[in-house]
Amino acid sequence: MTFQFYKPAKCLLPYVAGYLESDHTKSTIGGQHTLFPNGLSGVFFNFGNGQLILKKNYTVPDISVYGQIDRHFTIVHTPGFYSLSVLLKPTLLSKLLRVDMAEFTNAASDGTLLRADFRILYEQLLYTTNIQQKIQLLDTYFTLAIKNCDDKKTVSDYALQFIHQAEPMPIEALAHKLGVSQRYLEVDFKRTVGISPKMYSLIIR
C-alpha cells in the first residue's frame, strides 16, 4: 500500500486537513495497516477491485463516513484496493451532515445514506484518472458544500482554538474562559466533535 497526501485549496484550509490517497492496485497480495486517533473525521471514497475491511467483520462501502476514534483499529485491504480519504477538521462533519457526531465515534457509516450528492461526487471521481483532477473535484465539491452549510461558530469551535493554541488547561478552566458550564462544554463538544474535550486534548498532544 502506498500513501500520498495532498493539501486542499487555500480557501479550504480552515475546514479540510487534506486528502489522503491510498493505492494498493499494483499489489498481488493483501495487507493491513493500523489507524491511530488523530483528532480528525472524514469521508473515504473507495474504488478498485479490492476491499477494505474494518475490524474483520465490516466491509467498508464505496463511500464511508467516519467519526473520531479514541483507540487504534486494524484495517485489512485486498489487492486492487484504492481510496481517497478527505480528512476534515473536527466540527465540520457535524455541520455538513447535521448529525450528532457521538453516534459516529469509533464507527464508519454508509455515506450515501447521509448525503445523496456524495454518490454524484463518487461517480465523477471514478471516471477521472488524473489525481490532480480528482483533487480539483474534491476542492470544488467541499468549497460549495461548506458555503451551503451553517458555518456559525459553536462553543466547541472556540474550545478547539484554545486547545490548539494554548498550554493544556483543565476542562473546568476552559469552560470558564468560554463563559459556559463544564457540563455544557462537554455535551456540546461530544455532539459536534464526537469525543470529550479531555480525550481530544490527549489525542492531539
Side-chain angles (χ1 to χ4, degrees):
M1 177 78 81
T2 60
F3 300 95
Q4 184 67 47
F5 182 81
Y6 300 90
K7 290 184 178 180
K10 190 173 182 180
C11 64
L12 288 174
L13 288 174
Y15 313 98
V16 179
Y19 308 121
L20 182 64
E21 179 188 44
S22 306
D23 190 350
H24 202 58
T25 56
K26 296 179 181 178
S27 178
T28 57
I29 59 173
Q32 65 181 42
H33 65 277
T34 303
L35 295 178
F36 293 95
N38 61 7
L40 302 173
S41 57
V43 186
F44 277 114
F45 294 94
N46 305 307
F47 308 94
N49 299 319
Q51 291 182 321
L52 187 67
I53 302 170
L54 181 65
K55 296 192 291 187
K56 296 185 179 180
N57 59 0
Y58 179 75
T59 301
V60 197
D62 289 344
I63 306 163
S64 181
V65 172
Y66 62 94
Q68 295 283 341
I69 59 174
D70 58 16
R71 66 200 71 169
H72 71 272
F73 287 95
T74 298
I75 286 186
V76 178
H77 44 83
T78 60
F81 177 75
Y82 177 90
S83 79
L84 273 174
S85 181
V86 184
L87 308 176
L88 301 176
K89 299 293 180 71
T91 62
L92 182 61
L93 202 53
S94 70
K95 296 173 182 178
L96 286 177
L97 303 180
R98 298 178 183 177
V99 294
D100 184 338
M101 287 306 298
E103 298 177 8
F104 294 82
T105 303
N106 295 320
S109 303
D110 188 341
T112 58
L113 302 177
L114 299 167
R115 276 188 73 114
D117 57 357
F118 277 161
R119 174 55 65 179
I120 298 172
L121 176 58
Y122 180 89
E123 296 294 334
Q124 292 173 331
L125 292 169
L126 179 62
Y127 294 108
T128 303
T129 56
N130 182 284
I131 184 59
Q132 295 304 329
Q133 291 175 341
K134 290 181 188 290
I135 299 305
Q136 188 172 29
L137 283 170
L138 292 172
D139 279 344
T140 300
Y141 173 85
F142 282 97
T143 298
L144 183 60
I146 289 167
K147 282 182 180 178
N148 290 332
C149 78
D150 183 7
D151 192 32
K152 183 179 179 181
K153 287 206 170 194
T154 65
V155 167
S156 296
D157 286 313
Y158 290 111
L160 286 161
Q161 289 180 0
F162 279 114
I163 291 171
H164 281 274
Q165 296 173 5
E167 291 297 318
M169 68 176 76
I171 301 306
E172 184 179 358
L174 178 58
H176 180 73
K177 256 187 175 305
L178 296 168
V180 297
S181 70
Q182 182 176 339
R183 174 64 178 164
Y184 182 90
L185 171 60
E186 289 174 340
V187 169
D188 188 73
F189 203 92
K190 197 161 187 179
R191 178 182 61 81
T192 57
V193 178
I195 53 179
S196 70
K198 181 177 181 180
M199 175 58 70
Y200 182 86
S201 298
L202 290 173
I203 287 171
I204 67 164
R205 299 192 188 283

